[in-house]
């Protein structure tokens, strides 16, 4: 059964493997999901496998589908229990590039009530969230360098006509960059470097200020007065006109930069959001009828806001209470949710179609 109560919300009461097989390749921008943990909970949905190997085989099949449907610049966030998380991370690492193994520290929970005398090991107070992207996609640290390099290249290409004009005029007037720098230092009363590299060079090119440009006009025309008189004067273009050309190119550059930025995996941290791999969020308070693993909305909002852009498609193949969907819809994303249990599905559908956050 597939419900589509709005163009942005698609819910399936089905086994996720059946639905995933129907989704097109590279059709989802973020998979944010919380599969069964394997025998961590008494619920029937967590005890579907005879042993851990069978669970791992099943999860491997799910991850194969995730790898197929996730877009190249997409993000995967997958929750795991502390006990199974290293095995789950290994399975993810066979298909995706793991970026973080996030530790969600729960401020409240049963660990506070545990009987110390009866404990034979430490009580888990955390859940794990493996954050990954496709192999070959830009990796978080390399992305910054790659992005900066790409922007510098774009910048160089877009502003090349202006740079070539300035440099061509310099050559026509017979001045070297070193001579111009020396003259500029003398004019400014400065020691050290100069500006020729910025005005005439390809890397770090910058438009001269009006004051510097008018000085350059005087300088470059000073050696051969008369020979280069108008209309053959060097740098005959007046500054207002030159700056208008620059403004047009600047708009082209900003457009290209924005197009390039849109191709990257989104990752924008809000000022108040955790920026490390240790997250502290209160669990969802207990209440009658609550899904036993309902994820807190602040946590889900943090993931969605950091790793999606409005209009993108978010998938949760293990919908549960629907917290991922609430956060995705709030952020202006399309949402696909899959849940196999009929009663759990009905509750999530009601919550999502009402769009009333319960925490
Ligand atoms: C850990 S819970 C998800 C809880 C959810 N993150 C929330 O905030 O409420 C896992 C859910 O996956 C569902 N499930 C288990 N196996 C499934 C399958 N093969 N296909 C779809 N849903 C499944 C279970 O019924 C359960 O509701």
């Amino acid at each position: 059964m597939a419900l589509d109560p709005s163009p942005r919300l698609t819910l399936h009461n089905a086994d996720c493997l059946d639905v995933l097989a129907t989704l097109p390749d590279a059709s989802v921008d973020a998979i944010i999901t919380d599969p069964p943990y394997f025998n961590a909970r008494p619920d029937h949905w967590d005890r579907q496998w005879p042993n851990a190997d069978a669970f791992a085989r099943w999860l491997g099949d799910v991850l194969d589908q995730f790898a197929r449907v996730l877009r190249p610049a997409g993000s995967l966030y997958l929750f795991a229990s502390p006990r199974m998380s290293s095995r789950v991370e290994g399975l993810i690492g066979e298909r995706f590039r793991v970026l973080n193994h996030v530790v969600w520290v729960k401020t409240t929970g049963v660990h506070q009530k545990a009987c110390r005398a009866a404990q034979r090991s430490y009580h888990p107070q955390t859940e794990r969230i493996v954050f990954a992207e496709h192999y070959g996609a830009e990796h978080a640290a390399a992305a910054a360098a790659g992005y900066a390099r790409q922007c510098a290249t774009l910048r160089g290409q877009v502003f090349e006509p202006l740079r070539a004009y300035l440099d061509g005029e310099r050559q026509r007037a017979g001045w070297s960059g070193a001579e111009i720098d020396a003259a500029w230092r003398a004019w400014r009363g400065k020691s050290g470097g100069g500006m020729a590299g910025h005005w005439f060079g390809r890397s770090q090119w910058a438009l001269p200020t009006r004051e510097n440009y008018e000085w350059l006009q005087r300088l470059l025309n000073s050696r051969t007065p008369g020979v280069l008189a108008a209309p053959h004067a060097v740098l005959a273009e007046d500054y207002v006109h030159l700056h208008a050309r620059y403004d047009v190119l600047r708009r082209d550059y900003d457009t290209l930069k924005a197009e390039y930025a849109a191709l990257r995996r989104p990752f924008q941290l809000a000022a108040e959001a955790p920026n490390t791999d240790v997250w502290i969020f209160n669990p969802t308070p207990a209440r009658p009828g609550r899904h036993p693993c309902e994820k807190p909305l602040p946590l889900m909002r943090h993931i969605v806001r950091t790793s999606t852009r409005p209009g993108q498609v978010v998938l949760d193949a293990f919908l549960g209470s629907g917290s991922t969907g609430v956060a995705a819809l709030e952020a202006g994303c399309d949402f696909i949710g899959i849940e196999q249990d009929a009663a759990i599905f009905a509750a999530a559908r009601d919550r999502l179609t009402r769009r009333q956050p319960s925490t």
Side-chain angles (χ1 to χ4, degrees):
M1 175 176 55
L3 295 172
D4 194 358
S6 86
R8 295 173 49 209
L9 174 61
T10 309
L11 300 176
H12 299 271
N13 179 200
D15 185 313
C16 68
L17 279 171
D18 293 341
V19 177
L20 288 168
T22 68
L23 298 182
D25 293 357
S27 56
V28 166
D29 297 288
I31 300 172
I32 304 169
T33 201
D34 180 21
Y37 312 110
F38 181 63
N39 289 0
R41 303 251 350 134
D43 309 81
H44 66 92
W45 51 259
D46 206 26
R47 296 185 173 261
Q48 306 179 64
W49 303 272
N51 52 49
D53 288 343
F55 170 76
R57 276 195 300 280
W58 168 81
L59 190 58
D61 290 345
V62 173
L63 289 168
D64 283 342
Q65 288 296 328
F66 285 174
R68 186 182 63 74
V69 302
L70 188 67
R71 291 208 168 102
S75 303
L76 169 68
Y77 286 84
L78 192 135
F79 287 73
S81 72
R83 189 169 54 83
M84 288 298 284
S85 63
S86 59
R87 188 143 185 199
V88 168
E89 183 175 332
L91 292 167
I92 293 175
E94 288 167 17
R95 295 153 177 92
F96 295 92
R97 177 190 187 97
V98 173
L99 295 165
N100 289 111
H101 180 122
V102 173
V103 179
W104 166 27
V105 181
K106 298 179 183 181
T107 41
T108 58
V110 285
H111 62 276
Q112 291 171 321
K113 297 179 199 145
C115 169
R116 285 172 181 253
Q119 275 187 235
R120 298 293 302 141
S121 63
Y122 300 102
H123 206 292
Q125 193 196 332
T126 65
E127 247 176 77
R128 309 305 167 87
I129 306 165
V130 181
F131 172 37
E133 66 176 5
H134 275 298
Y135 281 108
E138 283 180 320
H139 149 298
Y147 180 65
R149 203 172 38 248
Q150 181 66 18
C151 288
T153 307
L154 273 181
R155 203 181 147 75
Q157 288 163 359
V158 173
F159 290 114
E160 177 57 17
L162 277 185
R163 187 209 67 81
Y165 166 70
L166 294 175
D167 199 39
E169 293 295 87
R170 174 191 68 73
Q171 291 176 35
R172 196 157 72 86
W175 285 77
S176 71
E179 289 173 317
I180 291 173
D181 277 343
W184 184 80
R185 286 195 298 271
W187 174 53
R188 288 289 194 191
K190 287 186 190 279
S191 58
M195 295 301 291
H198 290 291
W199 299 332
F200 309 114
R202 281 199 168 78
S203 93
Q204 298 192 331
W205 180 83
L207 183 73
T209 61
R210 175 192 283 271
E211 191 185 14
N212 281 332
Y213 183 72
E214 289 173 354
W215 172 81
L216 271 174
Q217 285 179 312
R218 291 193 298 278
L219 182 79
L220 298 197
N221 284 296
S222 65
R223 241 181 213 168
T224 47
V227 177
L228 292 176
H232 305 294
V234 175
L235 294 178
E237 193 163 339
D238 71 73
Y239 192 76
V240 172
H241 187 237
L242 190 77
H243 205 282
R245 281 173 65 193
Y246 174 82
D247 285 342
V248 171
L249 293 174
R250 172 95 227 172
R251 278 198 291 279
D252 288 350
Y253 170 65
D254 287 346
T255 307
L256 284 170
K257 202 167 109 173
E259 281 171 11
Y260 177 68
L263 296 176
R264 302 172 76 212
R265 173 172 54 76
F267 193 80
Q268 57 278 325
L269 282 167
E272 69 286 359
N275 69 332
T276 73
D277 56 4
V278 179
W279 298 356
I280 300 172
F281 287 95
N282 292 332
T284 307
R287 62 167 195 286
R290 190 201 74 163
H291 188 290
C293 304
E294 179 174 328
K295 295 296 172 276
L297 270 178
L299 189 157
M300 301 317 295
R301 288 183 180 123
H302 167 48
I303 294 176
V304 169
R305 286 175 186 168
T306 302
S307 286
T308 68
R309 300 188 183 97
Q312 290 196 326
V313 179
V314 174
L315 165 71
D316 185 349
F318 302 96
L319 182 65
S321 66
S323 289
T324 310
V326 174
L329 295 171
E330 274 180 6
C333 291
D334 291 352
F335 179 69
I336 303 169
I338 313 170
E339 169 59 53
Q340 74 172 9
D341 182 286
I344 296 174
F345 174 79
R349 179 196 53 202
D350 290 351
R351 182 184 183 199
L352 287 166
T353 49
R354 273 186 285 114
R355 295 271 308 277
Q356 285 173 343
S358 64
T359 53

